[in-house]
Amino acid sequence: MSVNAEKKPTDFIRTIIEQDLARNLNDGRVVTRFPPEPNGTLHIGHAKSICLNFGVALQYPNGRCHLRFDDTNPEKEEIAYVQSIQEDVRWLGFDWGTNLFYASDYFERLYELAEVLIQKGLAYVCSLTAEEMRDYRGTLTQPGRESPYRNRGVTENLEMFRAMRAGRYPDGAHTLRAKIDMSSPNINMRDPTLYRIRRAHHHQTGDRWCIYPTYDYTHCISDALEGITHSLCTLEFEDHRPLYDWILDQLQGELSCHPQQIEFSRLELEFTVMSKRMLTTLVTGHHVSGWDDPRLPTISGLRRRGYTPASIRNFCRLIGITKAPNYVEMALLENCLREDLELNAPRAMAVLDPLRVILDNLPEDHLEELVVANHPQNDALGTRKIPLTRELFIERDDFAEHPPKGFKRLVPGGEVRLRNAYVIRCQEVIRNPQTRAIEALRCLVDLETMNKAPEGRKVKGVIHWVSAQRHCKVQVRLYDRLFTIPQPADPKAGGSFLDHLNPDSLRILEDRPVEESLARAQPEQQVQFERLGYFCPDRRDSKPGQPVFNRSVSLRDSWKK
RNA sequence: UGGGCCGUCGCCAAGCGGUAAGGCACCGGAUUUUGAUUCCGGCAUUCCUAGGUUCAAAUCCUAGCGGCCCAGCCA
């Protein structure tokens, strides 16, 4: 399914855009941008923003969405992240064409415009220390006080700002601040910092600059320079909108447009964490294997887990765009994957907890090649051959000596259908003489039941199996939710979010028998292990002929005891 | 008595003055060589609360209540 073919969602932002178009604002242009800071990898929350921004642009014949790195804080940013972010956006199915930008592309222009603000008496060089500035800022309930440097003359401000750029002051000695209103109830308007002195190597501009502009100053101007029409961001920037507008208003003569900032609520997902800080803690503290650990909600993690781009896009469509706080259930995400894979994933059989079965009425060397469909509904997926031999493995919990009510699987003296093969009857349970543990089952196979129901009786159970003589053995990783509670990041949950890590979020099973055909499974090719779930060869750890399977999601199971 | 924003089913979410869409989850039931899928059916006399306006309110007004965000030279 192409990105374009997916059903178009509607939401309050798209409604605003339609209205703007109807009023012929922006000459009918629709230009959005996805502006990540390259200081971490993308997660599903970013996917929501990506789908919104690129999705909106795709809806209009001349719509565009820029990918712009918001790289104004070199101390925290790395080139590796600018690579991984591009890979993730592309993998999700979006294309920025030639519109790849960096806020750092605009450093020179940003600097010039800062001089314009100084010249207009709207910005000044402040020599307060960081602590002093905090003190002067006031609190949420008390107004701030004006900096003693607030009324420095234009000439001196200009000289000092140029000296800042020239590297004549140590880091942190001065800042450039906007002259707005220290008594504003909106703290962002209390003379916000525009530039700081920081001798840090920048991944794009190297050592050309020792002063760096702040987000608030940079973002609105970058948007304007790129001709963005709708600057979509999350709710926490609502309080920044007055500043966004203030800067663009003061620079009106210098810039050709004034983009509209619209905020929407960020995505929260149950049983995981989404904040960059917490994700970083999980990675650096080795609570997970890396940014692409399949238990993480990162794009690369979901990818490794076996999520498809279409399933993530569909998820983002289903959750919608609003301003309401939202905590989405993991079940919705999982359902999106199942929905995609149900149609598209070929089926195969694997036994994760093997119990040996001996088919007594077959000769030792019995070998029957069964031709079976790769998908029960989708014939286009073709067929494959699987060997039926005298000994096979079935799932240990598909047999019960003392079955619970409603048990439809194998019981002593009972019958069950082997998926894609014959009906068998359990004749005898073989036990370990010492431990009394069940070691194997002796069964009789009814050769009249291939592709047809047995005479005069009903067999309701169907179980999967793998030949004990002809199979390959693989490692299987069973993933579960990373946390034990729905909102681990909520301080009301008590303790640190790390206290709620699920100790059983990963179970590694070694040497599990699966169909021989699976030895050729390629990384990222999802397959359904029948009756178990969807699995996907790990793209990091699989080797040719030796796949390692990650369980992406289990099958829905209405048989819960 | 700082500012901004938000409150419609367990979770998302339509609705924008004309008498509560949809998806997920859940519960039935049918079909089924995956207890899967598919299919049918059920699932808010009620929209945070209380008043008010109106023939008519989730939608308008007023007053409350609850929740989220903001005091980086982070984004």
Side-chain angles (χ1 to χ4, degrees):
Chain A
M1 185 160 50
S2 82
V3 177
N4 254 325
E6 289 163 26
K7 219 171 87 204
K8 297 304 189 300
T10 180
D11 52 65
F12 80 99
I13 290 178
R14 279 172 240 254
T15 304
I16 291 172
I17 293 172
E18 282 298 318
Q19 287 165 351
D20 289 349
L21 249 19
R23 289 162 53 210
N24 205 249
L25 245 50
N26 311 310
D27 313 313
R29 288 176 309 118
V30 175
V31 187
T32 57
R33 103 268 91 114
F34 173 62
E37 184 190 13
N39 69 343
T41 51
L42 264 25
H43 54 66
I44 187 132
H46 293 109
K48 175 178 180 178
S49 176
I50 291 166
C51 290
L52 205 218
N53 280 294
F54 281 94
V56 159
L58 244 17
Q59 276 176 56
Y60 300 97
N62 48 8
R64 293 199 319 261
C65 179
H66 298 183
L67 175 60
R68 182 174 72 231
F69 288 100
D70 232 327
D71 55 350
T72 56
N73 188 6
E75 287 176 315
K76 292 188 176 169
E77 296 155 8
E78 289 175 30
I79 192 80
Y81 293 127
V82 343
Q83 303 299 346
S84 79
I85 287 169
Q86 292 184 60
E87 185 184 349
D88 288 348
V89 174
R90 237 183 255 118
W91 178 76
L92 274 174
F94 297 101
D95 182 9
W96 52 88
T98 56
N99 300 303
L100 174 64
F101 303 105
Y102 295 82
S104 54
D105 292 344
Y106 313 128
F107 278 176
E108 191 61 44
R109 183 63 180 143
L110 255 1
Y111 176 85
E112 287 169 17
L113 293 172
E115 287 206 352
V116 170
L117 287 179
I118 292 171
Q119 229 117 29
K120 288 180 152 191
L122 295 169
Y124 62 96
V125 173
C126 182
S127 308
L128 252 26
T129 64
E131 304 78 70
E132 288 168 334
M133 201 186 287
R134 191 184 315 126
D135 186 47
Y136 272 80
R137 188 157 32 232
T139 68
L140 293 178
T141 52
Q142 290 162 233
R145 287 149 27 233
E146 297 190 346
S147 162
Y149 306 98
R150 198 173 199 261
N151 294 311
R152 246 202 269 261
V154 168
T155 314
E156 189 184 347
N157 277 326
L158 222 40
E159 270 172 23
M160 287 188 76
F161 187 50
R162 287 172 183 166
M164 278 168 66
R165 175 178 184 169
R168 289 212 277 280
Y169 304 117
D171 284 9
H174 310 283
T175 56
L176 184 74
R177 292 226 259 165
K179 192 190 278 192
I180 309 180
D181 178 7
M182 287 308 292
S183 64
S184 171
N186 181 344
I187 290 190
N188 295 301
M189 297 300 268
R190 318 238 264 231
D191 289 10
T193 300
L194 268 24
Y195 269 91
R196 65 282 213 194
I197 304 173
R198 188 124 319 160
R199 263 156 268 256
H201 186 81
H202 189 288
H203 51 97
Q204 299 301 319
T205 60
D207 298 313
R208 278 208 288 289
W209 295 86
C210 66
I211 58 172
Y212 289 98
T214 57
Y215 163 83
D216 283 309
Y217 178 64
T218 307
H219 202 84
C220 53
I221 295 175
S222 302
D223 281 347
L225 292 174
E226 291 179 17
I228 301 298
T229 56
H230 302 271
S231 182
L232 315 178
C233 61
T234 43
L235 246 30
E236 65 270 27
F237 291 104
E238 254 170 336
D239 289 346
H240 294 243
R241 182 160 22 102
L243 177 53
Y244 183 105
D245 288 332
W246 184 91
I247 293 170
L248 294 185
D249 286 344
Q250 306 316 314
L251 261 11
Q252 204 170 17
E254 303 287 337
L255 300 165
S256 55
C257 70
H258 185 143
Q260 180 183 3
Q261 175 177 307
I262 309 173
E263 311 85 9
F264 61 94
S265 51
R266 62 193 306 159
L267 167 67
E268 301 288 355
L269 239 199
E270 286 191 341
F271 294 100
T272 188
V273 293
M274 216 72 100
S275 91
K276 220 168 254 183
R277 193 203 104 226
M278 292 180 191
L279 290 172
T280 305
T281 302
L282 289 171
V283 172
T284 56
H286 302 290
H287 298 101
V288 296
S289 65
W291 286 104
D292 64 352
D293 187 290
R295 291 166 291 185
L296 255 23
T298 52
I299 303 298
S300 53
L302 291 167
R303 176 177 181 177
R304 243 185 110 178
R305 177 75 169 259
Y307 273 82
T308 59
S311 68
I312 294 173
R313 276 184 250 126
N314 193 228
F315 172 76
C316 291
R317 181 175 68 83
L318 293 176
I319 58 176
I321 300 287
T322 66
K323 297 183 76 151
N326 60 96
Y327 235 104
V328 178
E329 292 176 343
M330 193 59 90
L332 184 63
L333 214 211
E334 292 175 342
N335 186 68
C336 289
L337 211 221
R338 289 196 191 102
E339 195 178 299
D340 185 7
L341 264 23
E342 157 61 23
L343 254 39
N344 302 310
R347 271 97 236 247
M349 293 196 286
V351 175
L352 300 185
D353 185 13
L355 171 61
R356 204 156 54 96
V357 165
I358 302 150
L359 302 177
D360 262 329
N361 56 337
L362 292 183
E364 296 273 344
D365 61 350
H366 182 85
L367 174 64
E368 198 175 341
E369 296 276 359
L370 308 176
V371 177
V372 309
N374 287 331
H375 192 287
Q377 281 88 228
N378 185 357
D379 295 338
L381 260 27
T383 60
R384 68 187 187 286
K385 285 184 186 161
I386 52 176
L388 176 73
T389 54
R390 184 167 189 269
E391 291 197 16
L392 39 266
F393 293 123
I394 66 167
E395 212 68 63
R396 198 161 271 277
D397 66 7
D398 279 338
F399 172 77
E401 275 192 295
H402 308 290
K405 258 198 312 294
F407 192 73
K408 300 205 315 202
R409 285 107 96 147
L410 196 56
V411 299
E415 282 187 307
V416 76
R417 154 107 39 206
L418 293 177
R419 174 71 170 154
N420 294 128
Y422 304 103
V423 169
I424 59 170
R425 176 185 301 277
C426 176
Q427 298 293 93
E428 185 189 348
V429 177
I430 301 173
R431 294 172 178 285
N432 178 301
Q434 266 78 56
T435 65
R436 304 298 296 155
I438 299 174
E439 277 191 336
L441 265 24
R442 288 193 178 280
C443 298
L444 253 28
V445 53
D446 180 347
L447 272 346
E448 300 303 306
T449 56
M450 178 63 82
N451 293 320
K452 67 173 196 234
E455 301 277 322
R457 65 218 131 101
K458 267 221 172 69
V459 173
K460 61 288 176 227
V462 179
I463 64 174
H464 58 276
W465 55 278
V466 169
S467 163
Q469 287 133 304
R470 291 265 309 267
H471 62 260
C472 71
K473 285 182 160 52
V474 300
Q475 186 190 90
V476 178
R477 298 168 180 174
L478 301 182
Y479 294 101
D480 200 350
R481 38 191 54 153
L482 227 204
F483 292 92
T484 53
I485 58 172
Q487 304 187 9
D490 186 347
K492 287 191 274 295
S496 150
F497 72 103
L498 293 173
D499 296 333
H500 306 292
L501 276 167
N502 176 7
D504 302 316
S505 59
L506 169 59
R507 274 177 56 212
I508 298 179
L509 309 179
E510 302 286 358
D511 300 323
R512 303 301 147 139
V514 301
E515 282 181 28
E516 291 170 313
S517 65
L518 256 16
R520 295 186 300 275
Q522 295 303 302
E524 304 200 87
Q525 274 187 354
Q526 288 84 358
V527 56
Q528 184 195 103
F529 289 175
E530 289 200 83
R531 301 209 310 134
L532 295 175
Y534 295 98
F535 292 74
C536 174
D538 190 274
R539 61 193 287 255
R540 294 257 173 279
D541 301 331
S542 295
K543 295 185 180 64
Q546 203 182 90
V548 167
F549 283 94
N550 293 332
R551 182 174 66 192
S552 311
V553 64
S554 63
L555 251 34
R556 201 177 271 110
D557 182 10
S558 58
W559 168 250
K560 43 221 146 162
K561 299 170 263 186

